[in-house]
């Protein structure tokens, strides 16, 4: 998705970034019948409890370089929680006003965490996708700069920069691992992280890239369904899940073609699987939230459930496999 210059630019921009941990868990790997288990822990990134600020900061940097974000700009976005908090944080640091749109069912905790960054919070009349449409409409009406992490036809440039920013997680991990993973499970809401991660692996390793599995909350699995049905999908309703940061009814327009080309498998994660996986991570010292634990939950289910034998075989998973997941968010 990105040119070599763009990956290099992201790394130059994040040259002073303090790395998050890449853990290995030999005993858990053995328990799962794997050779190695790598866990990239994004529970604290720049003082926020998720990775999302990496995308926001890089997109803001690109806009500022082009003179498209003057000091008196007002910014806006929709969010399930983390992207909006990151936008609010970055805007406040730059002295800019921010308007953040959340789904109607957003928890008080999410709302307060964004208000706590000094942003104006608006509750949409419906789900996350309605919040996306409302943020776009209001931005258009008021001349705000829309900093969306999801994209649609005609609005792709900023989400692309956001996804480029996420690639730093993998670039950083590559300086921490001894050997690259053979299999990677990446959780998705609208697919931005999955697109960024998949693109990075493809750029680094070409056809020798790891087996890539995308996972989502089964209750809001728009990308899993998109892949399964082979046609555009828009899921309706509240799409409520304990993995609340992954609640989205539509895949990001710019992300899908890349995901479709690069991902080898799609996994829906049940609510109780996410809860169990977060419990296992916490017992092992990683304070994972449920959205954050989704990738690990999919890996855990893949290795332990009889009905996942097909995926294990397709990915060639066994005692020699190095598997990797990203814990994308901390426990509240
Ligand atoms: C904690 C967490 N994990 C994963 C994701 C998925 O990212 P994306 O929506 O880009 O697929 C999000 C998105 O907000 C998130 O907050």
């Amino acid at each position: 998705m990105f040119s070599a210059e763009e990956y290099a630019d992201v790394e130059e921009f994040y040259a002073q970034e303090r790395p998050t941990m890449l853990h290995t868990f030999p005993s858990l790997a053995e328990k799962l019948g794997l050779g190695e288990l790598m866990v990239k822990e994004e529970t604290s990134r720049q003082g926020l409890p998720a990775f999302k600020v990496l995308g926001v900061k890089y997109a803001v940097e690109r806009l500022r370089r082009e003179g498209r974000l003057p000091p008196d700009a007002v910014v806006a976005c929709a969010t399930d929680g983390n992207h909006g908090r990151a936008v609010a944080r970055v805007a406040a640091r730059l002295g800019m006003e921010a308007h953040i749109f959340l789904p109607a069912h957003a928890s008080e905790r999410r709302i307060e965490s964004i208000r706590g960054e000094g942003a104006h919070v608006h509750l949409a009349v419906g789900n996350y996708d309605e919040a996306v449409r409302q943020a776009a409409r209001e931005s258009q009406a008021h001349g705000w700069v829309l900093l969306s992490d999801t994209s649609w036809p005609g609005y792709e440039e900023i989400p692309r920069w956001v996804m480029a920013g996420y690639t730093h997680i993998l670039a950083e991990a590559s300086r921490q691992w001894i050997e690259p993973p053979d299999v990677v499970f990446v959780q998705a809401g609208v697919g931005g992280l999955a697109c960024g991660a998949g693109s990075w692996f493809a750029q680094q390793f070409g056809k020798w890239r790891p087996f890539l599995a995308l996972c989502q909350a089964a209750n809001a699995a728009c990308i899993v369904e998109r892949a399964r049905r082979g046609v555009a999908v828009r899921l309706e309703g509240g799409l409520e899940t304990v993995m609340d940061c992954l609640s989205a009814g539509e895949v990001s327009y710019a992300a899908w073609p890349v995901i479709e080309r690069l991902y080898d498998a799609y996994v829906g994660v049940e609510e109780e699987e996410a809860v169990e996986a977060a419990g296992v991570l916490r017992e092992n010292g990683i304070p994972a939230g449920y959205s954050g634990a989704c990738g690990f939950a999919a890996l855990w289910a893949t290795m332990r459930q009889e009905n996942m034998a097909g995926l294990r075989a397709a990915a060639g998973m066994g005692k020699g496999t190095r598997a990797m997941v990203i814990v994308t968010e901390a426990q509240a």
Side-chain angles (χ1 to χ4, degrees):
M1 173 146 224
F2 311 106
S3 65
E5 291 72 32
E6 211 157 19
Y7 288 107
D9 186 63
V10 173
E11 287 319 288
E12 199 181 323
F13 180 63
Y14 283 124
Q16 303 303 319
E17 176 73 7
R18 194 157 141 224
T20 58
M21 293 286 287
L22 179 74
H23 306 271
T24 55
F25 290 106
S27 60
L28 271 180
E30 197 182 328
K31 190 166 171 184
L32 288 173
L34 292 166
E36 191 173 330
L37 170 61
M38 292 180 245
V39 178
K40 183 69 171 155
E41 183 184 348
E42 293 292 322
T43 56
S44 177
R45 184 60 95 166
Q46 298 187 13
L48 289 171
F51 70 99
K52 286 252 147 187
V53 67
L54 288 174
V56 173
K57 270 202 161 169
Y58 184 67
V60 163
E61 163 70 10
R62 295 289 297 259
L63 283 167
R64 291 179 84 195
R65 273 186 212 163
E66 294 186 7
R68 288 162 57 189
L69 207 57
D72 61 348
V74 176
V75 298
C77 74
T79 188
D80 275 328
N82 289 312
H83 175 70
R85 187 165 174 199
V87 168
R89 168 75 57 97
V90 172
R93 292 267 156 93
L94 295 172
M96 294 185 304
E97 191 178 315
H99 291 265
I100 312 295
F101 294 77
L102 287 118
H105 61 74
S107 70
E108 206 47 45
R109 175 175 68 79
R110 297 270 178 210
I111 295 168
E112 283 314 314
S113 73
I114 292 169
R115 278 211 183 105
E117 304 289 347
H120 301 277
V121 169
H122 307 265
L123 286 186
V125 291
N127 62 17
Y128 166 80
D129 303 276
E130 187 49 47
V132 170
R133 289 188 280 273
Q134 224 164 305
R137 272 199 308 272
E138 295 289 319
S139 297
Q140 179 92 43
H142 300 287
W144 299 339
V145 178
L146 182 64
L147 290 177
S148 176
D149 59 350
T150 192
S151 81
W152 50 88
Y155 181 83
E156 295 168 60
E157 188 181 38
I158 291 173
R160 231 185 125 270
W161 288 334
V162 168
M163 295 191 281
Y166 299 158
T167 65
H168 177 65
I169 299 171
L170 289 312
E172 190 179 274
S174 73
R175 295 189 281 270
Q176 297 170 310
W177 64 49
I178 294 163
E179 284 192 74
D182 306 306
V183 179
V184 185
F185 283 74
V186 186
Q187 58 267 58
V190 299
L193 175 64
C195 175
S199 300
W200 185 90
F201 279 112
Q203 156 86 8
Q204 286 291 310
F205 301 110
K207 68 179 176 140
W208 303 109
R209 68 176 181 270
F211 184 96
L212 295 173
L214 180 147
C215 47
Q216 287 195 294
N219 285 356
C222 61
I223 305 179
V224 177
E225 280 303 306
R226 175 81 180 79
R228 194 174 66 82
R229 295 189 208 167
V231 290
V233 168
R234 181 193 277 186
L235 304 178
E236 304 288 349
L239 306 176
E240 287 179 59
T241 162
V242 293
M243 293 163 267
D244 58 348
C245 297
L246 308 181
S247 177
E250 262 180 282
V251 63
S252 170
Y253 176 74
W256 171 248
V258 177
I259 290 172
E260 184 180 32
R261 210 169 65 238
L262 297 180
Y263 277 75
D264 303 294
Y266 300 85
V267 182
V269 172
E270 300 297 339
E271 301 289 285
E272 59 279 9
E273 291 174 342
V275 172
E276 186 190 357
V280 174
L281 287 166
R282 291 170 195 172
E283 278 164 23
N284 285 276
I286 297 189
Y290 300 131
S291 307
C294 179
F296 180 66
L299 173 66
W300 187 257
T302 299
M303 297 313 291
R304 288 164 61 98
Q305 292 177 12
E306 201 42 55
N307 63 357
M308 298 297 257
L311 176 50
R312 289 197 293 276
M317 292 171 85
K319 295 226 175 294
T321 303
R322 290 185 301 274
M324 178 177 162
V325 298
I326 307 168
V327 171
T328 52
E329 191 194 27
Q331 182 178 14

